[in-house]
Structure formats: structure tokens, C-alpha cells
Amino acid sequence: MAIVSSTTSKTAKPVLIGYMPPLEGIDKTRANYAMHSSLINIGDLVYTYAGALLCGGDDFIPWNFSLTAEEVNERCSQVIFFIPCRIAPPPYDDDGYPFELVTQFIEKLTIPFTSISESVQSTGYDYSASLHKELSPKVIRYLHTIADHSVVVGTRGEYSADILKRLGISNVEPVGCLSLYLNGPQLSPKLAMKRPFSEVEKVTVAYSNYQNNKQSRIKDILQLAIDNGCHYVEQSFNLLVKALYYPGMIDAFDVHQATQFYLGLNQIQQLFEQNKVHYFTNYSIWKDFLGEMDFVFGARMHGLTPAIHAGVPALFIAHDARVREMCEFFDLPFIAEQDLPQGADLTIENLYSRTDYQQTSQTYPLRYQAFLSFLTKNGIAANVKQDGQIHNYWQAKPSLSVLSSESVRSPITATDADFFSKICQAGLNIPDEYYESFKQAGSLGKDWYKSRIK
């Protein structure tokens, strides 16, 4: 059960939420390391918190692949999934998500089921009309199963809805991303009241290159952050997060992965040494931090939506079709990564000039009302008042340990910087062939495991 503050009566059975990281945050202890390291993208907590609040109120339990369908049928009133990016072509259909297990779970449900905010997983910015032809049988079966058991399937945007329709799934409707709906019926009026750039002092960047794309602009963006004294928020559990909280768990493979992800290590070394790197496991701490900023930008959708919730303008950099379709659906200000200015033209002022929220503020209320109607169609009692305001707006409270590690951090010492630099250098000196052999061994291990569960 999530940690909430409420006096609401619990007379009905709780709603089962498909997946949810611990909303109260994660204590950075050795005992928690295995669980924490399994959370590949901590941005998941943003939309899962929103979904639980809007669809479950304060009476829900997370599934997280633990209970059987029979147990859920007995204990819960309905099942609601907001597990995105499962329209997954290779290689993302083999990212660890148990498609077969979840498909069989849904097939055995006898209580209402709804899938909200389904979306594509993509490697590029362009929309592909043939993406549905790339999907494996297990993914297609999964998608048809969630459609067969939902009155209407919700997607994050028009593109994802179109892919499902090309698979023969007709009961589909674009509803956007739940992370935006934490704003209630209206966005903060501060977003449409743009301040002059001369008043912009505090800036945060959130970026990603999970595809390890050599054409990514992540290196340029991080250098821009360094040159302008910006903060950087990491969401992936990787070398930077281990350097902050689990230095004893760093290995050479972390360094190699970081080299591919960041296209080098110079920029993250400088950001780390300047104590500009942040990582959050609690939404309220994350939102409060971004609320202190004047401008936020980057390619992380859920690294920027807390800023919007705090009334801080954010510019989205669409490095793939996922971010693109969500920005287009809400009319959020964005620029394609491939269209970013080059050289000296890439400035904070240039990016800030693109943050016009006038159209967004007009589109958003329509999307919010349509989302509430979608919930009604699926028999989900939205946790809102008659005027659409969120009812009983609870927040998961972090422990003192989480608060101190994420909100009031100790400064990076010269010793910290020296160790991090030496670790990065040591990893760079190991030949790439070593890592290829490591990957091959890991792949064989996966195949061996799969042979046992068939």
C-alpha cells in the first residue's frame, strides 16, 4: 500500500495498479541495492504516482508481478495498467518485460481490466507506418489481450493509437500521459506568463541517450549545461547514480555503458565534480527542486513534467517518436533533437525562446476532460470533484534518509572527484573486446534461462 494521508473510508476492495516503484522514495542502503538497481528509469514514478492518485485515490495496491490472477480476482475491484512502451519492436521486446507472464495473468482475470497510456518504444524521431510489421508474436498477442479485456485502450498519442489500429485493434483512444494530469483541470497560469530571459538564472537539464545513438546531441547539451552552470538530473540507474550513492558497487561495465550513453565521460566528470548531478526517487522532492528553477529543458519526458506541475516552463527535446507524439498531443513546446542549433547558436537563450505555453494552456483542459471521459467509459471512478479538481490530493512522504540524500546533499569533496576521475580513466583503458565478450556471456545466460522456462 502506498504511503498516503487520508481519512477516506475503505469499504470497497482496492484497485490493483499494474506496476509502481516505491513512491515514498528509496533509502540508499546495501540492503536496497538489488531492488533499486532493477529500476532502470526512475521516471516511472512520475506517471505511476499520477495514475494511482487519479484512478485509485488512496485505495490501491501495486501488483509488480507478484500476485496471481486468482488472488487479484478475490482481493481487488479492478485492475488498471499504465505500463508504457510495450508496443515494442526488437530489440526492446527482449528488455526484461515478461510479456508471456503478463498476458496469461490478464487472460485469467474475472474483474474489470483497463490499459491506459500504452505507447511505442522507438529508436528514432520519425513515425513509421510499418512498425506494426516489426512486432514479434508475443508482443502482438499481449497487445490484443489488453485490448480484448479493456473497454477502450488508452494510448499516449495518435501515433501509438494508429499502430494498434494497424494490428486490427479498434477500441483505442489517445489520452496522453498521466503525468501531465497531476495539474488538474488547468495548467499553472505562470506557464503562459513568460518572463524575460534576463530573469532566467537557475536552469536544469534532463537528457537521455538510452539508444546509445552516436548521432545524439547529449554531449553538446551537457557541455552547454557545464558552460552555463546548469544542474543535471539523471533518471537512469547508471554510473552517475552509483557514484552518488553506491560507489562500492561500480564496475568496469558501468564505465563502458556510460561511455556509450554519454558519448564520452568528460562532461559527466565535470558535472559530478561541480556537484551539479541530481537523482530523485520521490516525486515531491523532485518537483520541489525543479520548482526552484527558472527554466528546464531536455529529452526526458518525465524529467520535465514535474517542472510544468511546479509552474516552471520546460522545453522538450524530442529525440524519439515517444516524446514527439506526447508533445504533439498536448501542444507542448518542443524541438526535434535533429533540429537543434549547431555550434555557437546552441544557447540557453535560444532554447528558452521556444517555450511558448499559450497554445498548450488552451489544449490541455480539453485533453484533461477527454481523459476523465475515457475513465468513465472504462468504469473507473476518477478521484476528482465535480469541478474536475483532484480530490484528496495526497503525496507520498519521503523518509528522513531519502530527504537528506536527495534534497540536502553533502558537497562533492576533492577525494570524491579524484576517485571518480580515476574510475573513469581505468574503465577507458580496457579494450572494447572485453565488453563484447561480457555481453556475449550475458546473452548466452539469458538464452539458457529461457530454455528452462519454456
Side-chain angles (χ1 to χ4, degrees):
M1 175 66 69
I3 297 176
V4 300
S5 298
S6 172
T7 58
T8 303
S9 173
K10 301 285 196 305
T11 56
K13 292 181 179 181
V15 171
L16 185 84
I17 302 300
Y19 167 75
M20 178 180 294
L23 299 184
E24 64 273 18
I26 301 172
D27 289 323
K28 319 305 184 298
T29 64
R30 179 173 287 274
N32 283 339
Y33 176 79
M35 178 274 293
H36 191 180
S37 63
S38 70
L39 304 177
I40 299 172
N41 177 9
I42 202 63
D44 293 345
L45 76 87
V46 178
Y47 64 80
T48 54
Y49 164 54
L53 177 62
L54 287 159
C55 302
D58 64 353
D59 198 7
F60 62 88
I61 57 175
W63 178 47
N64 292 353
F65 318 107
S66 59
L67 300 172
T68 66
E70 291 76 14
E71 290 172 320
V72 171
N73 290 332
E74 178 67 25
R75 293 176 54 182
C76 302
S77 60
Q78 60 188 143
V79 176
I80 303 175
F81 271 26
F82 18 85
I83 302 178
C85 306
R86 296 302 86 203
I87 308 176
Y92 303 110
D93 58 348
D94 197 24
D95 61 2
Y97 186 74
F99 282 97
E100 290 93 346
L101 183 151
V102 181
T103 299
Q104 293 170 13
F105 169 80
I106 297 170
E107 289 175 336
K108 294 176 182 178
L109 291 175
T110 58
I111 58 177
F113 170 88
T114 306
S115 177
I116 305 175
S117 224
E118 188 53 75
S119 67
V120 298
Q121 181 65 281
S122 64
T123 57
Y125 176 81
D126 294 330
Y127 294 152
S128 170
S130 61
L131 186 141
H132 64 291
K133 297 179 180 179
E134 301 174 29
L135 302 177
S136 63
K138 68 178 180 182
V139 173
I140 294 174
R141 183 185 169 212
Y142 170 83
L143 295 172
H144 275 282
T145 299
I146 65 172
D148 291 344
H149 288 75
S150 300
V151 176
V152 184
V153 175
T155 65
R156 282 183 171 177
E158 299 284 353
Y159 176 50
S160 294
D162 180 66
I163 297 300
L164 292 184
K165 290 175 182 177
R166 291 174 184 271
L167 288 173
I169 297 172
S170 58
N171 58 326
V172 57
E173 179 182 337
V175 296
C177 180
L178 287 84
S179 62
L180 268 297
Y181 297 133
L182 283 171
N183 294 277
Q186 304 282 341
L187 294 179
S188 170
K190 292 192 296 183
L191 291 168
M193 300 165 58
K194 191 172 182 177
R195 299 161 59 189
F197 181 70
S198 59
E199 297 180 12
V200 174
E201 297 180 356
K202 297 180 179 179
V203 180
T204 286
V205 178
Y207 219 81
S208 173
N209 180 29
Y210 71 92
Q211 309 101 325
N212 293 332
N213 182 359
K214 293 182 179 180
Q215 282 71 50
S216 170
R217 298 294 300 278
I218 189 169
K219 193 170 184 177
D220 296 335
I221 293 296
L222 295 187
Q223 189 61 53
L224 182 66
I226 293 165
D227 294 343
N228 290 273
C230 302
H231 297 273
Y232 176 68
V233 176
E234 184 54 78
Q235 287 179 218
S236 299
F237 191 92
N238 61 13
L239 175 66
L240 274 180
V241 178
K242 287 189 177 184
L244 287 175
Y245 300 116
Y246 305 101
M249 305 303 289
I250 293 174
D251 59 33
F253 198 61
D254 294 321
V255 181
H256 181 67
Q257 287 182 315
T259 303
Q260 295 179 313
F261 187 94
Y262 299 108
L263 301 183
L265 300 176
N266 289 338
Q267 283 72 30
I268 63 168
Q269 280 187 246
Q270 292 181 65
L271 288 167
F272 181 82
E273 291 170 3
Q274 294 169 7
N275 204 24
K276 294 292 188 179
V277 178
H278 305 266
Y279 175 86
F280 303 102
T281 63
N282 175 268
Y283 181 80
S284 61
I285 298 176
W286 198 342
K287 173 176 168 279
D288 289 346
F289 173 79
L290 294 182
E292 297 175 357
M293 299 296 115
D294 301 311
F295 175 44
V296 179
F297 70 94
R300 284 289 197 181
M301 187 75 188
H302 301 113
L304 272 61
T305 53
I308 295 176
H309 190 197
V312 175
L315 177 70
F316 294 80
I317 299 175
H319 66 316
D320 62 19
R322 300 178 310 156
V323 178
R324 176 187 175 185
E325 76 165 337
M326 286 187 278
C327 288
E328 290 178 343
F329 185 79
F330 287 104
D331 283 324
L332 290 164
F334 79 99
I335 179 174
E337 184 182 55
Q338 62 197 25
D339 294 333
L340 282 169
Q342 298 285 341
D345 292 329
L346 180 61
T347 63
I348 302 293
E349 183 172 9
N350 181 297
L351 298 177
Y352 182 72
S353 70
R354 302 171 186 269
T355 54
D356 184 350
Y357 273 80
Q358 295 291 336
Q359 185 58 54
T360 314
S361 296
Q362 296 177 32
T363 300
Y364 174 81
L366 303 177
R367 300 301 192 216
Y368 183 76
Q369 290 302 322
F371 172 68
L372 296 184
S373 297
F374 167 85
L375 295 183
T376 300
K377 293 175 189 175
N378 282 280
I380 299 171
N383 182 40
V384 299
K385 304 173 185 177
Q386 286 189 344
D387 62 358
Q389 295 289 343
I390 298 175
H391 177 66
N392 186 30
Y393 205 126
W394 56 266
Q395 295 189 73
K397 295 181 180 180
S399 68
L400 290 178
S401 173
V402 171
L403 188 64
S404 63
S405 67
E406 298 181 11
S407 182
V408 188
R409 288 214 333 264
S410 300
I412 298 298
T413 66
T415 301
D416 294 328
D418 184 54
F419 269 114
F420 188 60
S421 176
K422 289 177 179 177
I423 285 173
C424 290
Q425 189 57 49
L428 290 175
N429 291 334
I430 300 175
D432 287 344
E433 291 77 12
Y434 165 85
Y435 299 105
E436 292 306 316
S437 298
F438 191 89
K439 287 180 181 178
Q440 183 180 10
S443 178
L444 289 169
K446 285 183 179 180
D447 291 342
W448 188 6
Y449 172 72
K450 289 177 183 177
S451 72
R452 290 183 171 183
I453 61 176
K454 285 182 180 178

